[in-house]
Amino acid sequence: MNNSLTIRQVAALTGLSVHTLRYYEQIGLLTSIDRNEHGHRCFTSEDVTWIEFINRLKATGMTLTNMLEIAELKRKGDPTLTARRILLEEHYSEVQKALMELQTNLHLLAEKITTYKELENRHALKQKLNEQPTDRSTE
C-alpha cells in the first residue's frame, strides 16, 4: 500500500485530531481502514474524501446520528442511493432555512451598525459645534 497515509497525516489534512479519527472509526463512521504489518492505520485518498465529506456535514450542523445513518447506508451500496439522497435533501433544506435566518439576522445587524454610525456622526458634529469658540468681539 504505497499511497497510504498515516493517521497523523490524515489528521493534518482534515483538521481532525487523531483522537477524533479513532473515535469515528470506533463508532462506525469510518470503516474499512486498512492496517499495515505493524497494526497502524493506513488511510487511502478515498478515506480522506469521505472524512472531508463528514467534516462538511458536521460543519453544516448534521447530527452524528444522521451521519452514522448515511455511513451505514453507504456501506450497503447502490441500493441505498435514494435513501442517502433523501437524507441529504432533508439536511439541505435545514441548512437553507438556517442560512435564511442568518441572512435576516445579518441584515438586522447591518442596519444597526448603520444606525450607530449615524448616531456617532451626529454626536461628533454636536461636540464640534459645542467646542467652537464664539466670537464675542462683534457683540
Side-chain angles (χ1 to χ4, degrees), residues 33-51:
I33 305 298
D34 291 329
R35 305 254 178 173
N36 66 15
E37 63 276 3
H38 303 291
H40 298 139
R41 291 168 183 83
C42 299
F43 291 83
T44 65
S45 60
E46 291 82 14
D47 295 326
V48 172
T49 299
W50 174 248
I51 293 165

Side-chain angles (χ1 to χ4, degrees), residues 48-64:
V48 172
T49 299
W50 174 248
I51 293 165
E52 288 171 342
F53 178 62
I54 291 169
N55 274 344
R56 297 287 181 188
L57 294 176
K58 183 179 176 186
T60 57
M62 181 175 275
T63 64
L64 191 54

Side-chain angles (χ1 to χ4, degrees), residues 3-138:
N3 294 341
S4 66
L5 299 166
T6 67
I7 196 166
R8 291 193 193 285
Q9 290 170 319
V10 173
L13 281 172
T14 62
L16 296 174
S17 69
V18 169
H19 174 77
T20 299
L21 290 168
R22 288 182 182 134
Y23 174 70
Y24 281 178
E25 185 179 17
Q26 179 186 356
I27 65 170
L29 206 48
L30 300 176
T31 58
S32 305
I33 305 298
D34 291 329
R35 305 254 178 173
N36 66 15
E37 63 276 3
H38 303 291
H40 298 139
R41 291 168 183 83
C42 299
F43 291 83
T44 65
S45 60
E46 291 82 14
D47 295 326
V48 172
T49 299
W50 174 248
I51 293 165
E52 288 171 342
F53 178 62
I54 291 169
N55 274 344
R56 297 287 181 188
L57 294 176
K58 183 179 176 186
T60 57
M62 181 175 275
T63 64
L64 191 54
T65 301
N66 285 350
M67 287 190 282
L68 285 166
E69 186 175 357
I70 287 176
E72 180 60 31
L73 289 169
K74 180 179 179 261
R75 279 190 286 283
K76 291 179 179 178
D78 288 349
T80 67
L81 287 170
T82 301
R84 286 184 268 166
R85 178 186 48 81
I86 289 169
L87 279 171
L88 291 175
E89 285 176 343
E90 289 169 355
H91 183 64
Y92 183 87
S93 292
E94 291 171 12
V95 171
Q96 273 188 317
K97 181 181 175 189
L99 279 174
M100 287 171 48
E101 289 174 14
L102 282 173
Q103 197 64 37
T104 298
N105 293 336
L106 192 62
H107 179 71
L108 291 172
L109 284 171
E111 286 178 353
K112 188 54 89 174
I113 289 168
T114 299
T115 299
Y116 278 114
K117 285 180 179 179
E118 289 170 359
L119 290 171
E120 286 174 325
N121 289 338
R122 281 190 216 148
H123 178 72
L125 182 60
K126 192 180 198 182
Q127 279 191 320
K128 195 173 189 178
L129 290 173
N130 288 337
E131 291 174 2
Q132 288 183 350
T134 56
D135 188 3
R136 299 197 184 265
S137 62
T138 58

